[in-house]
Amino acid sequence: MNIFFVSSEVNPFVKVGGLADVAGALPKALSKLGCSVSVVMPGYRQIDFQGKSPSKFQKVLDVPLGYGNETADVDKLSLMKGLDLYLINNGAYFQRESPYDFPDDKRRFIFFSRASYELARILQPDIIHCNDWHTAIIPGYVRYFWDKEPVGTLFSIHNLAYQGVCDRDMFLYSSLPESAFNPEEVEYYGKFNIMKAGIVYSDMINTVSPTYAEEIKTPEFGCGLDGLLKKRSDALVGILNGIDEDEFNPGNDKYLPIKFTLDTIDKKEDVKKFLLEKLGLSYHKGAPLLSFIGRLWDQKGIDILVQAIPELMDKDVYMIILGTGSEYYHKTLEQMREAYPGKISINLKFDNELAHLIYGGSDFFLMPSKFEPCGLGQMIAMKYGTIPVVRGVGGLKDTVKEGETGFVFFDYTYTALLESIDRALNLYWNDRDGFYNMRKRVMLEDHSWDSSAKKYMELYSKILDLKRGV
Ligand code: ADP
């Protein structure tokens, strides 16, 4: 089966969030299962080619859009047998100081989508697999313009909160037919909603956990699209993400100064000591280390975490926070750093190496998310024997079981968060065997891509059967 997998970020070439992890790992797992996968992403300035050199695949790719013909050129990099990376290059759109966050992002990703669609016409895959709003318009192009052998489309929702809503002039730029601008298709209260195109026109839709697939059909989590998602519920499924075990493995993690496995689990304490000292906190035995890694936005529950910190700091615990996000939380956390010297380490940056060390050296990993499509942090933490404390929403609910593989709270309040942390600390201080048993249990959980990749294969087959009218 030939899969054309389109994503705005792909690990390890460019990573901003969890989407890159998925776009890096799932295609690899699919190609190991025998698929031939073409991964397509923009040719950003920030790409780290990992020492390899891409070759020119297409010197001039015509990209027909609303304001006339534009062009891209396409590079290709072979990653392994059955797995190629294609880069859509256009200097004006992608040679900038960061991958996202420009006023013309909608235009940039409409361009990327149309260029990817034109590349798909050349490669003629069996399935075009699109991810999040950046690529959601591609199934619309397929619906209206595809002129080759039938192709199936899958749209994956990694985060419904970002929908690419923009003015009608971007719809005109997209070059979808005028008739598509109606509330049944891509219009959204007079605006153009790019995410809607993915939901309306794809053969099948999936989200990244079974619970989130249910949640988004409700007003609380549906971000205004719950009605449409309910309407398409026959075509909507949830498949849990996995983690890339080549990258996240305490037994051979290049960033850990001391490696450990289930059999040498005691060495985890040495990683903790190394980590604390690296961050200027002096280690003493018996004080657990609680950590948080993630975007500093309300989605991640940073507001209730900040409220809980003063009470937490009264206890004999350490805390490490790594993340970037809103200016407000940067300032608030800087104040926490001043208030609790020697107990809390605040790291306001994106730092992959430090993230690995934190996963490796922590005792507990906090994810108090308001909503969480899947969440990778809790699964990565488990792989390193770090016990998750999470809010029971979305993929967190699907991956963490209270008292067995972590601690779960439900009310979105700092008091509920503190209560779940107290249960965790009680285990740590008062039931050492129970704590070590849980630590071992979480390490044994299978969050590899193997089983999820098989589910994607089944979904692709189902789509092809639908196309063939089987
Ligand atoms: P998101 O909603 O951001 O996609 P996920 O939990 O699905 O959240 O994935 C986030 C990924 O990004 C994880 O691999 C996490 O370790 C990583 N990450 C988040 N913030 C940082 C940071 N500041 N430094 C390093 N890695 C980070």
Side-chain angles (χ1 to χ4, degrees), residues 303-428:
D303 50 346
I304 58 172
L305 182 61
V306 162
Q307 284 174 290
I309 287 177
E311 249 177 80
L312 273 177
M313 292 293 98
D314 278 345
K315 303 173 198 281
D316 187 20
V317 302
Y318 298 107
M319 198 160 179
I320 298 177
I321 293 183
L322 169 63
T324 56
S326 81
E327 194 53 37
Y328 172 78
Y329 288 125
H330 280 224
K331 280 211 182 90
T332 315
L333 289 169
E334 271 159 6
Q335 286 162 7
M336 300 278 170
R337 181 197 285 144
E338 298 299 312
Y340 307 106
K343 293 206 70 174
I344 193 163
S345 167
I346 304 291
N347 306 275
L348 304 173
K349 57 182 175 175
F350 193 94
D351 185 336
N352 194 31
E353 180 171 351
L354 182 56
H356 280 247
L357 275 172
I358 294 173
Y359 287 121
S362 302
D363 297 299
F364 297 103
F365 190 76
L366 308 179
M367 280 185 83
S369 305
K370 189 175 269 174
F371 68 95
E372 194 58 80
C374 176
L376 296 175
Q378 82 282 16
M379 295 193 275
I380 301 170
M382 287 194 226
K383 185 79 191 159
Y384 288 77
T386 299
I387 295 171
V389 178
V390 305
R391 179 153 181 261
V393 285
L396 297 172
K397 189 172 170 196
D398 293 332
T399 50
V400 183
K401 298 279 164 285
E402 168 71 27
E404 279 178 46
T405 53
F407 297 89
V408 185
F409 69 99
F410 291 94
D411 288 348
Y412 190 71
T413 59
Y414 81 96
T415 46
L417 167 62
L418 278 172
E419 279 164 22
S420 63
I421 293 176
D422 277 341
R423 295 198 294 281
L425 297 178
N426 186 37
L427 185 76
Y428 184 88

Side-chain angles (χ1 to χ4, degrees), residues 85-125:
L85 178 72
Y86 290 88
L87 300 158
I88 305 284
N89 296 311
N90 177 299
Y93 288 131
F94 303 125
Q95 289 295 307
R96 299 192 185 178
E97 49 286 5
S98 65
Y100 309 130
D101 296 333
F102 298 98
D104 62 345
D105 274 0
K106 310 298 182 313
R107 178 170 175 161
R108 297 168 70 223
F109 287 101
I110 290 171
F111 172 85
F112 170 62
S113 295
R114 184 71 203 229
S116 300
Y117 169 83
E118 296 303 328
L119 179 62
R121 287 181 64 239
I122 296 171
L123 297 178
Q124 293 197 46

Side-chain angles (χ1 to χ4, degrees), residues 243 245 249-250 260-263 265 378-388 399 404-405 436-448:
I243 55 170
E245 298 195 327
N249 181 349
F260 62 89
T261 62
L262 202 59
D263 294 333
I265 186 73
Q378 82 282 16
M379 295 193 275
I380 301 170
M382 287 194 226
K383 185 79 191 159
Y384 288 77
T386 299
I387 295 171
T399 50
E404 279 178 46
T405 53
Y436 281 111
N437 286 338
M438 189 183 284
R439 178 175 266 180
K440 285 182 188 157
R441 251 191 327 269
V442 302
M443 284 183 89
L444 285 169
E445 289 281 289
D446 180 11
H447 292 128
S448 68

Side-chain angles (χ1 to χ4, degrees), residues 124-263:
Q124 293 197 46
D126 300 306
I127 296 282
I128 300 179
H129 183 162
C130 305
N131 297 279
D132 272 351
W133 78 262
H134 309 90
T135 59
I137 198 172
I138 298 173
Y141 294 138
V142 173
R143 171 72 62 92
Y144 282 108
F145 307 134
W146 190 256
D147 54 356
K148 308 279 180 190
E149 286 293 302
V151 65
T153 49
L154 173 65
F155 179 54
S156 293
I157 300 173
H158 299 262
N159 195 336
L160 190 62
Y162 303 95
Q163 298 179 359
V165 177
C166 45
D167 289 335
R168 194 178 137 82
D169 63 333
M170 278 299 105
F171 171 76
L172 298 176
Y173 174 65
S174 81
S175 75
L176 280 179
E178 280 273 352
S179 61
F181 200 76
N182 71 78
E184 295 297 306
E185 295 183 60
V186 299
E187 185 193 342
Y188 186 74
Y189 301 104
K191 299 241 178 199
F192 175 32
N193 184 323
I194 300 178
M195 177 81 110
K196 266 187 92 177
I199 299 171
V200 170
Y201 301 123
S202 296
D203 294 316
M204 294 283 295
I205 307 151
N206 82 292
T207 65
V208 287
S209 69
T211 293
Y212 192 60
E214 291 306 313
E215 287 172 343
I216 58 175
K217 288 183 266 177
T218 66
E220 188 186 349
F221 295 96
C223 303
L225 295 182
D226 39 296
L228 173 63
L229 287 159
K230 248 201 324 235
K231 208 161 118 190
R232 291 230 61 198
S233 60
D234 285 350
L236 172 63
V237 297
I239 302 177
L240 206 58
N241 283 335
I243 55 170
D244 186 345
E245 298 195 327
D246 293 339
E247 184 179 355
F248 298 109
N249 181 349
N252 62 15
D253 187 322
K254 64 178 176 189
Y255 297 120
L256 293 193
I258 305 141
K259 328 269 180 234
F260 62 89
T261 62
L262 202 59
D263 294 333

